[in-house]
Amino acid sequence: MLGWAITFLVIALIAAVLGFGGIAGASAGIAQILFFVFLILFVIAMISRAVRGKPPV
């Protein structure tokens, strides 16, 4: 998931440099959504691991 967010961020940066504002904005929005989904899933995974009694690695 984080890999996809970084990919869309790179696409947004390249599109912004080349002057494609609409594509850059859309790609940046997608990257932001994917990043926040990644963070939420990461926190849920860490909480579930702690509840099961396994120490964080």
Side-chain angles (χ1 to χ4, degrees), residues 13-56:
L13 291 173
I14 292 171
V17 168
L18 295 176
F20 298 109
I23 295 172
S27 295
I30 292 171
Q32 187 177 14
I33 290 169
L34 287 175
F35 181 73
F36 284 123
V37 168
F38 165 77
L39 282 180
I40 291 168
L41 291 176
F42 179 75
V43 169
I44 290 171
M46 288 295 112
I47 291 171
S48 67
R49 186 175 176 97
V51 167
R52 282 192 238 150
K54 296 180 183 176

